[in-house]
Amino acid sequence: MSSQIDLRELGERLHQLLLEQASLTVTSRIAEVFLPELLKRLPRSFPTVSDQHLIASCAEDALLEYLARPEKFDPARGTLLTYLRLLARSRLLNELRRKNSTGQQEVVAVEEAETVYGVASGADWDESVRLSEHETEQRIAAKLRPIVTDSTDQQVLELMLEGVRETSAYAVVLGITEQPVSEQQRIVKQHKDRVRKRVQRKLGPRGWQV
Amino acid sequence: MNEQTTPNPLSALALKLRRDPRYMAYALAAYQQQENLSDKELAETLSILPELIVRLALCRRPAASAPQFAEQVRELADFTLTDESQLAGILRQVDGLEKLAALPVTAPETEAQAETQFGLPLAGLLAAARDREEETDDQAQINEPPAAKNMADDE
């Protein structure tokens, strides 16, 4: 697992995978990385909005909208995070206006100078923003570390949890790059099955309690 | 995902995706409903961490009839540390239920279509499936010879 990930680069890579429809896991990977980031930053644009549930719901809907129509996002015009923020902000403002019209809440959004996609891009939305590590992966890996103790198995497990599909990446970890490709594929599959079974056996039917 | 546990944005997203047949959240919810499993029981059945069930729910759903089904199930199994054959079994079961209920199984183009096409997806599917099963059972009882029925009653 890389210690630092460039969010722009990651967004572009995952966006491309989503457009290509080449991976079934990409929607989950996008959600795991971008939803928590969106939820961290969106409330800062709406400091007077106390309804955190509403903010969260708009962020979730923004992500769903993007996943349903990824072709609408143009990476040349800004980062994926900025685009998601546009969608979420727009939804949130609509919701707040609707509530305001019934006298429930006053709409106050922080004004920002620079715009991307027609939406303000403040310091919090810096395009070179970096993540330390995926929070979800970190949490999962921490729980599984006591179960998978062998360092090679741990590396294989991390690649699996990152959604890495390329045999070559596993071959490097397993030290089998000199073998023919078909043999590499066989060994990698065997190793992944073994790691998965070990985790399941250790967790057992009470794995959810770990 | 029948129960609201710890509020988690990814879980909330997975709950929303239960209405969309293109996602694993839908398939898992359908399986839970069919097998009458709580979230806890689903986690026990799959022997995986709750975070990984949410992760699985947020993935796209492979079509059981697709030629690349096995490879796609393997991708999901690797990513969520789920048992490959168990996952394939769940997906086939849900797929079979959909076919039984004779509802559209093609992925809708838009979210709106998904909601319209599958307005109350699980309830509709299961109600239709149960109706058919009951009809079949009723028919079987009707066709059952009286002697055989009495023997069954004695047991």
Side-chain angles (χ1 to χ4, degrees):
Chain A
M1 220 174 293
S2 54
S3 60
Q4 284 203 317
I5 295 147
D6 186 300
L7 209 50
R8 171 194 275 273
E9 197 183 295
L10 184 63
E12 285 179 12
R13 191 153 45 86
L14 293 175
H15 173 67
Q16 197 53 40
L17 280 173
L18 185 64
L19 284 180
E20 289 167 4
Q21 299 186 339
S23 164
L24 296 177
T25 62
V26 70
T27 48
S28 192
R29 288 155 73 188
I30 289 170
E32 282 183 5
V33 173
F34 289 96
L35 185 58
E37 285 302 310
L38 199 52
L39 287 171
K40 264 184 225 164
R41 295 151 199 263
L42 196 58
R44 296 177 202 165
S45 300
F46 295 88
T48 60
V49 177
S50 57
D51 188 346
Q52 294 305 306
H53 179 75
L54 181 67
I55 291 178
S57 183
C58 289
E60 289 154 16
D61 289 345
L63 191 69
L64 292 178
E65 190 178 330
Y66 163 67
L67 293 176
R69 296 172 200 83
E71 67 284 352
K72 286 192 172 181
F73 165 58
D74 178 5
R77 298 178 65 191
T79 65
L80 180 55
L81 189 57
T82 304
Y83 178 67
L84 290 172
R85 179 203 180 204
L86 158 71
L87 297 178
R89 190 176 192 271
S90 162
R91 279 176 178 271
L92 188 53
L93 283 171
N94 284 340
E95 282 298 314
L96 293 171
R97 280 194 196 106
R98 196 178 55 78
K99 282 191 172 186
N100 195 32
S101 69
T102 56
Q104 289 182 34
Q105 185 154 13
E106 191 183 344
V107 179
V108 182
V110 169
E111 291 297 327
E112 291 158 284
E114 196 184 332
T115 62
V116 180
Y117 269 110
V119 171
S121 175
D124 285 346
W125 299 86
D126 190 325
E127 308 215 349
S128 62
V129 70
R130 295 177 84 83
L131 292 176
S132 56
E133 277 191 13
H134 298 189
E135 287 174 23
T136 309
E137 276 179 25
Q138 227 177 2
R139 207 166 42 239
I140 294 168
K143 285 189 177 181
L144 296 178
R145 220 165 277 134
I147 294 171
V148 181
T149 49
D150 179 80
S151 67
T152 305
D153 286 351
Q154 275 180 0
Q155 288 177 69
V156 169
L157 183 66
E158 283 172 4
L159 288 175
M160 289 168 76
L161 292 174
E162 281 177 21
V164 174
R165 303 294 297 151
E166 295 79 16
T167 301
S168 56
Y170 292 91
V172 170
V173 169
L174 296 172
I176 54 168
T177 50
E178 299 302 311
Q179 308 249 23
V181 175
S182 59
E183 186 63 4
Q184 287 182 25
Q185 287 170 339
R186 190 189 65 78
I187 296 170
V188 166
K189 185 182 181 311
Q190 200 175 43
H191 209 93
K192 285 200 287 191
D193 286 347
R194 200 162 54 81
V195 168
R196 206 168 46 215
K197 284 199 170 69
R198 180 171 299 167
V199 170
Q200 286 209 314
R201 208 168 41 240
K202 291 271 185 182
L203 289 177
R206 298 275 160 189
W208 55 274
Q209 286 181 327
V210 172
Chain B
M1 280 156 289
N2 293 329
E3 297 153 7
Q4 271 284 31
T5 50
T6 319
N8 172 316
L10 294 170
S11 304
L13 191 66
L15 276 173
K16 287 185 177 179
L17 286 172
R18 288 176 66 192
R19 295 176 67 84
D20 192 333
R22 294 169 298 182
Y23 285 86
M24 282 300 299
Y26 175 93
L28 292 175
Y31 179 72
Q32 278 183 265
Q33 200 163 349
Q34 193 181 5
E35 297 294 317
N36 199 21
L37 296 174
S38 66
D39 287 354
K40 196 176 90 173
E41 287 164 338
L42 178 69
E44 284 180 351
T45 304
L46 294 171
S47 295
I48 58 173
L49 300 172
E51 289 92 338
L52 290 173
I53 294 186
V54 174
R55 168 179 269 207
L56 178 62
L58 297 175
C59 290
R60 291 276 189 169
R61 171 188 173 195
S65 56
Q68 65 273 34
F69 179 67
E71 178 55 35
Q72 290 181 330
V73 169
R74 197 170 303 131
E75 182 188 1
L76 294 181
D78 282 353
F79 188 57
T80 59
L81 307 179
T82 324
D83 183 82
E84 212 173 302
S85 55
Q86 192 178 22
L87 195 55
I90 289 171
L91 286 163
R92 287 201 183 97
Q93 184 174 321
V94 172
D95 198 60
L97 177 69
E98 281 179 332
K99 287 195 169 81
L100 183 69
L103 283 175
V105 290
T106 49
E109 292 293 313
T110 64
E111 300 291 326
Q113 271 185 2
E115 297 222 347
T116 312
Q117 215 173 2
F118 299 89
L120 287 170
L122 303 173
L125 279 173
L126 290 163
R130 283 199 194 105
D131 287 349
R132 284 178 185 222
E133 277 173 13
E134 280 165 16
E135 276 172 24
T136 313
D137 290 347
D138 291 347
Q139 195 61 43
Q141 277 181 5
I142 290 165
N143 295 336
E144 203 174 5
K149 192 173 186 303
N150 290 340
M151 276 170 66
D153 289 345
D154 291 342
E155 282 170 8

